[in-house]
Amino acid sequence: MTRAAVPLFLVSLAFAPLRVQQPIVSQPVQQRTDEPVVVTSGEGVVRQAPDRAWVTIAAESRARTPQDAQRQNAEAMDAVTNRLKSAGISGDALQTTMFDLQPEFDYANGKQTLRGYVARNQLQVRVDALPKLGEIIASAVGGGATNVSGVRFDLKDRDAVEREALRLAVADARKRADAAARGANMQVDRVVRIEEQREFVPPPRPMMTAMRAGMAEQQVAVPIEAGEIEIRIHVSLTAAIK
């Protein structure tokens, strides 16, 4: 009987440490979730003059046949593109955003009569030399562009400006956390979490212009006022206090 009791005693010792360790490991996690925290928000705003612009330039051509309309339009856009490149616009700054060829009809006495065809070609132009924007628009019109619209301003290094606005937003949230802790006769122990509050921000509203072929003979630089671009960032900061 004595020999049979020994194995039972050894087995109970082998399992005992496992039963004791489980609550010890989880105990510190439970304590950290109970510590007091303060949650604040911060805002960072950076205003900067734009140094880049986008403008939409288009040409329309009309003819009796679709082939003639397309050919005339291709010639017109070639002339516009050459004028833009002569004004300092590089090839990678030009992008075709639309080409359209449609019939046009006249309506009389309830009848539809084919008038001809209209071809439209539209370019989006990136202008990096902002002071030359008005001159470039006038040059495009002089080269045969029949429509100019949607001037939009931007920043070449937008990422750097957004990072600066983010830094200011975090600094603002931290100051608010310090103020809240002092109001409770406490102090910030450490920052637990920082979250950038992403929200949809529409792109800058284009400045609409309407220029037709009749202005091509004038060759007058268009007056452009760029103003400032505002970058605004919001963050949420959670800090442990003691």
Side-chain angles (χ1 to χ4, degrees):
M1 295 179 60
T2 303
R3 292 180 181 176
V6 172
L8 291 175
F9 177 71
L10 291 176
V11 170
S12 63
L13 278 178
F15 283 90
L18 296 177
R19 294 171 184 160
V20 174
Q21 284 179 350
Q22 185 64 28
I24 293 177
V25 173
S26 62
Q27 186 66 23
V29 176
Q30 184 64 33
Q31 289 178 344
R32 291 181 66 87
T33 59
D34 292 339
E35 64 184 346
V37 298
V38 59
V39 180
T40 59
S41 60
E43 180 182 68
V45 180
V46 177
R47 296 177 179 87
Q48 188 167 314
D51 53 9
R52 170 177 285 173
W54 302 85
V55 59
T56 299
I57 295 175
E60 293 184 358
S61 302
R62 287 176 169 80
R64 295 293 298 175
T65 67
Q67 293 84 359
D68 286 342
Q70 190 276 332
R71 177 182 54 79
Q72 293 176 21
N73 188 257
E75 293 173 353
M77 285 307 294
D78 282 343
V80 171
T81 300
N82 290 334
R83 293 291 290 267
L84 290 172
K85 290 181 177 179
S86 297
I89 302 298
S90 59
D92 65 345
L94 301 174
Q95 183 180 42
T96 299
T97 56
M98 187 270 288
F99 177 79
D100 185 51
L101 178 63
Q102 295 286 342
E104 288 188 315
F105 298 93
D106 289 326
Y107 297 90
N109 301 320
K111 294 183 178 181
Q112 176 179 285
T113 304
L114 179 65
R115 182 197 312 167
Y117 293 84
V118 56
R120 301 181 181 90
N121 198 329
Q122 181 174 285
L123 279 175
Q124 181 174 255
V125 182
R126 189 188 75 232
V127 181
D128 292 327
L130 198 56
K132 297 180 64 177
L133 177 59
E135 176 187 337
I136 289 170
I137 291 175
S139 180
V141 174
T146 57
N147 192 286
V148 179
S149 63
V151 178
R152 177 173 60 87
F153 298 104
D154 205 347
L155 300 169
K156 294 177 183 176
D157 195 358
R158 173 178 281 269
D159 288 344
V161 179
E162 289 181 348
R163 288 193 295 269
E164 175 61 14
L166 178 61
R167 185 189 68 80
L168 294 174
V170 173
D172 181 39
R174 175 58 194 259
K175 290 178 181 178
R176 292 174 182 270
D178 288 334
R182 286 195 300 270
N185 293 322
M186 302 179 77
Q187 64 181 11
V188 172
D189 182 25
R190 68 185 187 283
V191 175
V192 176
R193 178 180 299 172
I194 299 173
E195 294 181 352
E196 182 179 356
Q197 298 174 347
R198 290 283 182 176
E199 58 185 41
F200 173 74
V201 179
R205 180 176 296 176
M207 180 184 69
M208 301 306 296
T209 62
M211 301 177 64
R212 296 290 177 176
M215 296 186 64
E217 300 177 357
Q218 300 178 15
Q219 285 292 292
V220 178
V222 179
I224 301 293
E225 298 295 336
E228 285 187 331
I229 289 180
E230 180 180 280
I231 303 296
R232 188 180 297 268
I233 300 291
H234 295 87
V235 300
S236 174
L237 182 144
T238 302
I241 57 178
K242 61 182 181 179

